[in-house]
Amino acid sequence: MAALRFPQQGMPAEVVLEDLQAMKSGDSDWKNGRVFSLVFNAGEEVKQFAEKAFSVYMNENGLSPFAFPSLLKMETEVVATMLDLLGGGSEAAGNMTTGGTESLMTVVKAARDYARDKYPGIKQPELVMPLSAHPAICKAAHYLDIKTVIIPTDKHSVVDLEAYRRAINENTILMIGSAPSYPHGIVDPIEELGRIALEKNIWFHVDACVGGMVLPFVKMAGYAIPLFDLSVPGVWSISADIHKYGYTPKGASVVLYRNIELRKHQIYVYADWPGGVYATPSIAGSRSGGPVAASWAIIRYLGLDGYTKLAGLAMKASLELQKGVNGIPGLYVIGRPPATVFAISSDSLNVYALGDRMKTMRWYIDSQQMPPSLHMTVMPEHAKILQPFLADLRTAAEEVAKLKQEDITGEAALYGMIGTLPDRGMAKDFATQYLNELYQVRR
Ligand SMILES: *Cc1c(COP(=O)(O)O)cnc(C)c1O
């Protein structure tokens, strides 16, 4: 195929926009509840509202609070409302970022710089996290040159608290817990970890990226949710993505701190630039005002009652789905997930083959490893697909039960192979090579 050249002449807008719509035809159909990750779907009305609000500020730049004081006002109001939701006291502070990864990067940087200030003797800082915590934390630690210490979890995805305590040493600058973890939807024992953090006087961050905008509302809808937020003694900071269960388009998250002294360490300043004193609270420079405006608007549009109603729908769907999964021979839900995220596993069936089989029936469920499982993030729109989904899952499980080892091919075989490589360095090399080739351009 010929190399793609920069187009010589412009094309009519309608043609290009039509092409753009057509590009989507092979993508997964998230609007009809057939996808269990990536796009958080609360239905057409909420989506259209968020799009409208987003587009009002799409072109404004959040980089300059002086040029766009309205964005500064909206950002601080979003932070204030999120602090109200997540147990922030009168001293608390925070910022908006472009997503969970940036919130975590920002808070790991803040914790590192806090430790540099306070404990200059620490030369090789470490953070401690359960195996189930999100890799964005490992990524942050990697970028910021911090050692990651991983604590094992049991078969119910519960972290080994004794091992966690033992892993803390004189180099530990940060403890992590999830509420809940992304892979299995399990909430770590935040109160116990908070006690350890207080006792050892170490910064404790709760990653509520996926849970921050659903756990409080699931609780308000009448279900039991363990304490997990800034109101728990020992918790110094928390991250929560608005672009997940807050239902804005991507690019919106908050990182919140117990007090403004802690937040200070996330700010970057370069004072000697001919372009002016350059100061930003987060990683991004220029950033669209769209996510800020969409967050501000959707919080007002839905309110506690709207979010609680949506969380109630998603929770009911989650419970029905979990019950259905546990009722299919060979399948079970990992651990005791308290809310809307859970994982399907099996001791007898190849769950990767199950995922592949579901894909042929146009259900997209991500594969996970250690142990092999399928990921379910349940959203309000899934209330509409419970019966067809469970019927297809049962059929797929029956088919997979009949497969012989040599019948397992394609993605299932690949995933299984990577999962069982004894040398994790090989898995890493394999994935690096794979991604490098995946993004190959035609020249
Ligand atoms: C989604 C998620 C992240 C990462 O957030 P992005 O918005 O994808 O960058 C981090 N932690 C948890 C628990 C998450 O669910």
Side-chain angles (χ1 to χ4, degrees):
M1 197 168 288
L4 190 60
R5 304 299 304 269
F6 202 98
Q8 188 71 40
Q9 274 157 347
M11 286 160 77
E14 327 70 87
V15 174
V16 181
L17 291 173
E18 245 170 58
D19 284 353
L20 201 55
Q21 283 299 336
M23 293 289 290
K24 288 187 166 186
S25 65
D27 293 349
S28 53
D29 182 13
W30 61 268
K31 281 185 199 148
N32 294 306
R34 303 192 80 91
V35 178
F36 295 87
S37 60
L38 297 168
V39 185
F40 287 72
N41 189 357
E44 197 54 30
E45 228 178 279
V46 175
K47 172 177 146 301
Q48 281 185 16
F49 175 82
E51 278 174 3
K52 275 188 199 146
F54 192 100
S55 67
V56 176
Y57 272 86
M58 196 157 57
N59 294 301
E60 276 74 8
N61 193 340
L63 178 59
S64 174
F66 307 112
F68 304 110
S70 63
L71 280 176
L72 174 65
K73 179 174 154 64
M74 281 190 280
E75 175 166 345
T76 50
E77 289 185 8
V78 167
V79 167
T81 47
M82 291 301 292
L83 283 170
D84 182 40
L85 186 69
L86 296 174
S90 56
E91 313 275 288
N95 279 95
M96 286 192 74
T97 69
T98 58
T101 301
E102 191 183 1
S103 285
L104 290 163
M105 187 78 69
T106 302
V107 82
V108 173
K109 183 242 183 251
R112 185 198 66 177
D113 289 1
Y114 170 86
R116 278 184 179 169
D117 244 30
K118 213 142 172 152
Y119 311 106
I122 298 180
K123 297 300 175 213
Q124 285 182 314
E126 300 180 8
L127 68 77
V128 183
M129 64 180 236
L131 177 67
S132 52
H134 199 279
I137 300 156
C138 310
K139 186 178 181 179
H142 177 73
Y143 283 14
L144 294 161
D145 206 14
I146 291 162
K147 184 179 162 196
T148 311
V149 181
I150 308 282
I151 310 303
T153 50
D154 67 13
K155 69 180 201 304
H156 306 294
S157 199
V158 173
V159 69
D160 180 341
L161 267 181
E162 260 326 293
Y164 199 120
R165 179 191 287 279
R166 278 197 310 274
I168 296 168
N169 62 35
E170 65 282 0
N171 291 322
T172 308
I173 60 149
L174 180 61
M175 294 170 52
I176 302 278
S178 308
S181 72
Y182 180 82
H184 311 135
I186 306 297
V187 178
D188 286 327
I190 302 300
E191 284 182 282
E192 284 88 339
L193 289 172
R195 274 195 285 277
I196 298 176
L198 278 178
E199 179 194 315
K200 311 242 179 200
N201 194 25
I202 288 173
W203 189 315
F204 176 30
H205 177 79
V206 173
D207 179 6
C209 277
V210 71
M213 289 210 81
V214 72
L215 295 183
F217 305 124
V218 165
K219 189 172 186 174
M220 287 174 207
Y223 300 92
I225 296 293
L227 294 179
F228 71 94
D229 64 16
L230 283 171
S231 65
V232 176
V235 175
W236 285 19
S237 56
I238 189 167
S239 47
D241 293 349
I242 305 178
H243 68 201
K244 287 181 178 156
Y245 283 104
Y247 307 115
T248 63
K250 252 57 75 191
S253 174
V254 289
V255 54
L256 308 172
Y257 301 83
R258 180 161 286 276
N259 62 56
I260 200 162
E261 261 313 293
L262 298 175
R263 193 267 300 279
K264 192 176 79 183
H265 298 280
Q266 83 164 55
I267 293 169
Y268 174 79
V269 180
Y270 187 73
D272 309 320
W273 184 42
V277 174
Y278 183 92
T280 52
S282 46
I283 313 282
S286 289
R287 57 190 167 108
S288 169
V292 175
S295 301
W296 185 84
I298 205 159
I299 288 171
R300 290 163 66 99
Y301 173 67
L302 288 173
L304 287 180
D305 62 339
Y307 276 118
T308 302
K309 194 165 150 241
L310 290 170
L313 276 174
M315 187 62 193
K316 226 169 135 229
S318 172
L319 291 174
E320 290 276 320
L321 288 169
Q322 291 182 50
K323 199 169 116 208
V325 166
N326 284 326
I328 296 174
L331 300 186
Y332 61 85
V333 170
I334 293 178
R336 293 182 147 271
T340 54
V341 177
F342 69 92
I344 303 172
S345 193
S346 177
D347 297 332
S348 53
L349 305 181
N350 183 317
V351 292
Y352 300 139
L354 183 68
D356 276 0
R357 189 73 200 88
M358 288 298 277
K359 205 174 277 170
T360 66
M361 299 192 246
R362 299 193 301 111
W363 300 102
Y364 294 83
I365 326 176
D366 291 331
S367 294
Q368 308 188 124
Q369 60 176 353
M370 296 150 65
S373 68
L374 299 175
H375 178 87
M376 300 286 288
T377 292
V378 184
M379 307 154 198
E381 281 294 284
H382 288 132
K384 297 175 184 160
I385 55 81
L386 302 177
Q387 294 324 316
F389 176 84
L390 288 171
D392 283 353
L393 190 66
R394 182 176 286 272
T395 308
E398 283 164 8
E399 287 172 11
V400 170
K402 292 186 203 127
L403 288 180
K404 294 192 200 63
Q405 188 56 38
E406 59 269 26
D407 298 333
I408 292 165
T409 53
E411 262 181 69
L414 184 72
Y415 223 93
M417 186 275 285
I418 297 175
T420 54
L421 283 178
D423 178 355
R424 300 316 292 164
M426 268 170 74
K428 211 169 143 178
D429 290 347
F430 185 86
T432 306
Q433 185 68 12
Y434 182 79
L435 220 64
N436 207 20
E437 280 167 23
L438 190 66
Y439 283 92
Q440 185 66 275
V441 295
R442 283 192 279 117
R443 290 290 309 151

